[in-house]
Amino acid sequence: MTLDRPEFRPDPDLSHEEMEALQRDIADAAEFEDDLPFDPEAVALNSPVEADASGNERLGASSDAPVVVGVDQAFLEERAVSAIVAIQDGAVVERVHSVTPLSIPYIPGLLAFREGGPILAAFEELSVEPDLAIFDGSGRIHFRQAGIATHIGVMLDLPSIGVAKRLLCGEPAEPVADRPAGWSTPILADASVVDRRETTEKRAGSETTREQGVEAPEGTVIGHAYQSRQWDREQSINPLYISPGHRVSASTTVDLVDSLCAGYKLPEPTRLADRHADDAKAQYE
DNA sequence: GCGACAG
DNA sequence: ATCTTGTCGC
């Protein structure tokens, strides 16, 4: 794939201030409304996608159906194994991975600067053209509304979605415990969420222009908690926290993830990428 | 200072 | 994320 916005590359050598400034630029460039090159109904799955451990993929993509890729990573000490699995018409059409060094530690809010480069390296190995990417982590559910799903989505100008297992920020509109499969509730921006880059701070004499953000309006929906699966009795499964990455609205994000789930907690693209990352990792240890 | 914090 | 045993349920 070609980088639509190479200037937004998540350089791990930037200072934290520069990283946050870049994220505000990413949020400015992000589109949190539907701009999909396909009909959302066209990605629906009827059953789990066959993993096919032998590595065989359906050949010759003689289809117009949208290609959805799942992105996930596994780690070996100071290296990241980034995996991408592409599905189309309910079948795997390509699987790639890359192994790259990691340069900075995980810092909440700055995940893209640790894992973004490695993920872009994996995208360089991909030969099919994706129509939608599902990332392991947040998109708009982020302090500056620029989580890794948004960051990579904007760089590639690719519709993207963030699927996280835990909530980074924001507040669920309703309690999320013990909900039935299919249930969802909005995640509302809280005081930790900045809405857009804002400046102007004029003082007598000096005019300081800061690159800060203003608090997001209360009630801003930055994503949803979505119960993709639930047990019938005792134990309870936690919901997924899904959010728009780029070129998808919050509500469509819920519909798409719902369509891409096939009986497991994680949507199929993510589940397959998860397994592929683990398989690839095993070859390096 | 305290708490919260994707992977 | 990663390290792991036990356990639930189809």
Side-chain angles (χ1 to χ4, degrees), chain A residues 39-71:
Chain A
D39 179 349
E41 306 289 309
V43 302
L45 297 169
N46 306 305
S47 55
V49 176
E50 296 302 326
D52 200 342
S54 64
N56 295 320
E57 284 134 26
R58 192 190 59 196
L59 302 175
S62 56
S63 171
D64 294 325
V67 172
V68 181
V69 298
V71 183

Side-chain angles (χ1 to χ4, degrees), chain A residues 35-183:
Chain A
D35 181 21
L36 304 168
F38 59 90
D39 179 349
E41 306 289 309
V43 302
L45 297 169
N46 306 305
S47 55
V49 176
E50 296 302 326
D52 200 342
S54 64
N56 295 320
E57 284 134 26
R58 192 190 59 196
L59 302 175
S62 56
S63 171
D64 294 325
V67 172
V68 181
V69 298
V71 183
D72 191 36
Q73 296 172 302
F75 301 88
L76 306 290
E77 292 166 24
E78 294 299 283
R79 287 182 300 169
V81 177
S82 308
I84 301 180
V85 175
I87 65 172
Q88 180 180 44
D89 281 331
V92 172
V93 291
E94 187 174 10
R95 266 187 291 206
V96 300
H97 79 270
S98 69
V99 181
T100 54
L102 289 166
S103 38
I104 61 171
Y106 162 66
I107 298 167
L110 300 179
L111 178 66
F113 291 88
R114 170 178 167 80
E115 305 181 354
I119 286 174
L120 290 170
F123 267 101
E124 286 180 20
E125 301 298 312
L126 197 67
S127 54
V128 293
E129 200 65 31
D131 292 299
L132 173 69
I134 311 295
F135 291 90
D136 194 27
S138 291
R140 193 180 184 180
I141 293 179
H142 179 272
F143 308 123
R144 290 164 290 283
Q145 302 186 59
I148 195 163
T150 299
H151 201 132
I152 304 300
V154 167
M155 288 199 74
L156 300 173
D157 190 28
L158 175 67
S160 62
I161 289 173
V163 175
K165 300 173 202 68
R166 304 179 61 166
L167 188 60
L168 175 62
C169 61
E171 188 68 27
E174 306 170 65
V176 305
D178 307 312
R179 299 299 188 172
W183 175 90

Side-chain angles (χ1 to χ4, degrees), chain A residues 197-218:
Chain A
R197 49 190 315 188
E198 187 61 36
T199 52
T200 40
E201 187 169 292
K202 298 166 186 173
R203 269 285 158 136
S206 64
E207 179 179 296
T208 310
T209 303
R210 282 187 184 173
E211 199 174 78
Q212 291 184 148
V214 297
E215 192 176 320
E218 286 303 311

